[in-house]
Amino acid sequence: MPRIRRPFVVAATALAVCTATALTLGPTGPAAAAGNGTATQAARHTADEPSLTGSAKLARQPGDNVHFRFNAHGFGEQARGTFYASHHIGKDWGGYFKGRIDCLVTGGPVAVATGIVTEMRFKNAPGMPELGDLRGKRFGFTALDSGKKDQLGYSWAMDGLPKNGVGKCLGSAPFETLEKGDFKVHHWMPPRTPAKH
């Protein structure tokens, strides 16, 4: 795809692992424990896993509109969810692709996710490079949840076109900044088993 001062886009310090205390904020005591047992178990199941969620528009020149959206949950190759990426330049060129998440890892405020493209629509314009068929290809995304000015990277940063697939959970540095929107990264890693001596 064409470049407008940046590659085409269609699309640490570790945080503390959630504790049981954080998951059971609220009333305490035997009665509360009896009443909230099921809710606490559900909250623990939901919170104790990595996640990358949110949507945003990248900071680009006027007329160069790039959006990303993520809803990814789970650790490593057990991850699930969806991603969406779109890029439009003016009214005559652009489109979107979306797909399913197949890997997710986090480290503090950073998440790296990959996904397989399952659907795409794209409108070419005369004199502009064609995107081609992306369905079945895997692309990577890296989000930095800074709290104020989030950043995003994608695996085709050096291509200029999203055409070369990558391995699971591989992405680039998060070099793009957001114009608006927000990404939320929840960091979690499986408990480590002590080594046997």
Side-chain angles (χ1 to χ4, degrees), residues 11-41:
T13 54
L15 297 177
V17 175
C18 290
T19 62
T21 302
L23 294 171
T24 56
L25 291 177
T28 59
N36 292 337
T38 302
T40 300
Q41 290 177 357

Side-chain angles (χ1 to χ4, degrees), residues 167-188:
K168 291 184 177 180
C169 277
L170 293 179
S172 78
F175 61 94
E176 296 261 21
T177 56
L178 307 188
E179 178 179 315
K180 61 181 180 181
D182 185 44
F183 293 128
K184 295 295 184 184
V185 174
H186 174 71
H187 173 58
W188 182 87

Side-chain angles (χ1 to χ4, degrees), residues 18 23 62 77 82-83 86 88 95 127 141 188 190 194:
C18 290
L23 294 171
E77 296 183 11
T82 59
F83 69 90
S86 70
H88 293 84
F141 313 94
W188 182 87

